[in-house]
Amino acid sequence: MSELADLSAVDLVDAYRSKKLSPVEVTEAVIARIDASEPKLNALWAYDPAEARKAAKASEERWAKGEPLGAIDGVPVTIKENIATKGTAVPLGCAAVSLTPATADAPPAARTREAGGILLAKTTMPDYGMLSSGLSSFHKLARNPWDLSANPGGSSAGAGAAAAAGYGPLHIGTDIGGSVRLPAGWCGVVGLKPSAGRVPINPPFIGRVAGPMTRTVADTALYMSVLSQPDARDTMSLPYADLPWLDLDRDLKGLKIGLWLDAGFGQSVTQETEQAVKKAAQLFADAGAIIEPIGPFLTREMIDGLDRFWRARGWEDVSRLSPEKQAQILPYIFDWIKTAENFSGREVYTGFAQIDAMRNALHAALSGYDFILSPTAPTASYPAEWASPVNDPQKPFEHIAFTVAVNMGGQPAISLNCGYTSGGLPIGLQIIGQQFDDIGVLRLARAFETMRPQQRPWPKVA
């Protein structure tokens, strides 16, 4: 029974259509997986198996009539806890946040329900989504299924862990600097940061997107066909485009692909990570793509400026809280943003201006290339108890060098597994596409999926 929890969303929908499987038995299998693994993994918030069972029964009845609601009817899903779901509180991973039930589904949750997805739970995140870590002042420490002493990454920490552990096939996170791709890379799953505005969200913000986290590129594409449906609440969304999400075949011959191994700032890329990414690039070259090295194009000034702006943005919110509430925030986060208390207007503005600098640098780097390949992160995962790979609140962004510029530029990018360390931890490959070319990124990722060596079995936590 528990093996049903490992089936892809694409396979589940086919099985429901042919009446080989029922959403009820699949949901029971996923619940059994969660109940066995979650005491060690701590990936979930607001887990509601009773409600999931009711939704699965309703889906079973729709499939029996041949009347599914949408593309993912009956497929188990988790949603990151900062994406509002009606009736559930949104703690933002922080003990200082009041537990007030949301009055409506945010756009990704609304599209998921409308398409028949079976919502099992929300997934955990660190305080305010400000860490690439499973550490939180509100949730229990989330861990990496590949090694419980390792970090799943973040801020979509629970989503990455849940996807790798087989808590059903579809999960959704959010990403403003790497928060989908980093945990995807560290947990060995597929994580897509769509083009800015491709998936409506609420509230929108510069660089912030919601994106699927799954075990296969096809499942990510299937979920994108649902999540990309329009919603007027997102004032920064793109005009809706009926894209061929499930058309994933492509010939790689003649594609010009840049290989980016030095970001220009941040942690040095480890030898194991560099070798894995180079091997991936060679597979593309063997398939007929033209691979050319790209030098560093980001600067310390860019990331330090963005750091200042994000500190100021965080402090503006937190400074309004009472001292008692401030004391409940994860100390790492509070110590980081409190440094903005005396920033001048010039310091904040020049920091904000680095968003444009990053955008322009990445657009220039992509000029003449169809895609860029890079590590998702410079290193593999790190200790579960740490807040970041360097665990220093005054050096918070050394690990996001390859991911953050893609948020500022708005391009689509995906992370998927390209190898393992000597200790068995996954290594992520990032594929960056031209602006709005979400389909191209998915197709290139699917091509790599078919070319890469056989993957290791998924971890069993229980």
Side-chain angles (χ1 to χ4, degrees):
M1 174 69 76
S2 63
E3 292 182 2
L4 296 181
D6 293 315
L7 292 178
S8 72
V10 170
D11 288 343
L12 287 179
V13 172
D14 287 345
Y16 297 157
R17 186 175 292 113
S18 65
K19 296 183 170 55
K20 293 179 181 178
L21 288 175
S22 157
V24 171
E25 60 184 321
V26 171
T27 299
E28 287 296 341
V30 176
I31 288 172
R33 174 70 58 81
I34 291 171
D35 290 346
S37 305
E38 185 58 10
K40 297 179 181 177
L41 210 56
N42 301 320
L44 302 184
W45 153 250
Y47 173 44
D48 192 345
E51 194 62 31
R53 287 185 171 107
K54 286 172 56 179
K57 182 62 177 175
S59 175
E60 180 183 62
E61 293 171 357
R62 291 191 294 270
W63 279 109
K65 297 174 184 177
E67 300 174 352
L69 279 178
I72 58 170
D73 202 337
V75 178
V77 177
T78 73
I79 297 176
K80 188 176 177 181
E81 64 109 317
N82 65 336
I83 298 173
T85 50
K86 186 176 181 179
T88 303
V90 186
L92 301 177
C94 184
V97 175
S98 299
L99 297 182
T100 304
T103 58
D105 285 340
R111 301 296 86 77
T112 296
R113 290 198 213 261
E114 291 163 2
I118 307 299
L119 178 56
L120 287 153
K122 310 297 286 291
T123 49
T124 58
M125 59 184 281
D127 294 47
Y128 302 113
M130 290 183 179
L131 297 179
S132 299
S133 173
L135 193 63
S136 162
S137 65
F138 179 79
H139 302 296
K140 293 180 180 179
L141 178 64
R143 296 180 180 273
N144 193 317
W146 292 91
D147 180 347
L148 294 177
S149 71
N151 210 294
S155 62
S156 304
Y167 288 11
L170 299 181
H171 311 268
I172 182 167
T174 60
D175 189 319
I176 199 171
S179 289
V180 161
R181 289 157 291 156
L182 289 166
W186 286 324
C187 291
V189 301
V190 178
L192 175 67
K193 187 209 82 70
S195 293
R198 182 71 71 197
V199 172
I201 56 173
N202 186 39
F205 190 78
I206 297 168
R208 182 171 178 258
V209 301
M213 300 176 73
T214 72
R215 287 181 169 186
T216 69
V217 175
D219 275 5
T220 287
L222 176 66
Y223 206 7
M224 281 298 295
S225 74
V226 172
L227 295 171
S228 61
Q229 296 293 315
D231 194 301
R233 290 175 288 175
D234 187 343
T235 56
M236 297 171 68
S237 64
L238 295 172
Y240 174 68
D242 186 13
L243 300 176
W245 292 107
L246 299 181
D247 180 6
L248 295 176
D249 294 332
R250 94 167 297 154
D251 186 354
L252 303 185
K253 292 180 181 176
L255 283 178
K256 194 171 180 182
I257 300 175
L259 179 59
W260 183 34
L261 295 172
D262 181 352
F265 72 87
Q267 289 179 291
S268 298
V269 176
T270 64
Q271 185 176 15
E272 286 183 312
T273 296
E274 182 172 325
Q275 288 177 346
V277 172
K278 284 182 174 178
K279 286 180 180 178
Q282 187 60 52
L283 292 176
F284 285 109
D286 293 343
I290 301 165
I291 306 294
E292 294 183 358
I294 292 179
F297 56 85
L298 302 178
T299 66
R300 172 57 61 181
E301 181 183 8
M302 291 176 185
I303 195 61
D304 285 351
L306 188 64
D307 181 5
R308 287 198 307 277
F309 170 67
W310 276 350
R311 290 181 197 232
R313 176 174 171 248
W315 181 245
E316 169 59 20
D317 292 334
V318 168
S319 64
R320 302 178 189 180
L321 300 178
S322 68
E324 293 76 20
K325 287 288 187 181
Q326 290 178 353
Q328 292 179 287
I329 298 170
L330 196 72
Y332 183 102
I333 293 293
F334 188 79
D335 291 346
W336 170 56
I337 59 178
K338 195 176 189 302
T339 57
E341 187 174 14
N342 297 311
F343 279 2
S344 68
R346 182 179 185 278
E347 286 175 308
V348 176
Y349 173 75
T350 56
F352 180 79
Q354 295 307 312
I355 292 174
D356 282 340
M358 281 191 178
R359 178 189 297 117
N360 294 338
L362 182 52
H363 276 260
L366 274 163
S367 178
Y369 294 100
D370 298 297
F371 302 93
I372 289 176
L373 302 179
S374 79
T376 303
T379 69
S381 187
Y382 56 96
E385 296 78 11
W386 284 16
S388 77
V390 298
N391 207 33
D392 182 347
Q394 302 314 321
K395 297 179 180 179
F397 298 141
E398 301 305 292
H399 58 290
I400 67 172
F402 292 102
T403 54
V404 65
V406 191
N407 295 84
M408 302 305 105
Q411 294 86 350
I414 197 167
S415 176
L416 68 169
N417 191 56
C418 67
Y420 305 87
T421 67
S422 57
L425 291 173
I427 296 171
L429 170 72
Q430 180 176 231
I431 299 171
I432 303 170
Q434 290 286 347
Q435 196 169 23
F436 311 131
D437 189 20
D438 301 70
I439 295 294
V441 165
L442 286 168
R443 287 173 176 166
L444 201 67
R446 175 58 186 149
F448 179 68
E449 231 180 13
T450 65
M451 296 187 299
R452 68 185 177 185
Q454 183 175 353
Q455 298 293 278
R456 298 182 182 181
W458 291 103
K460 300 295 184 184
V461 177

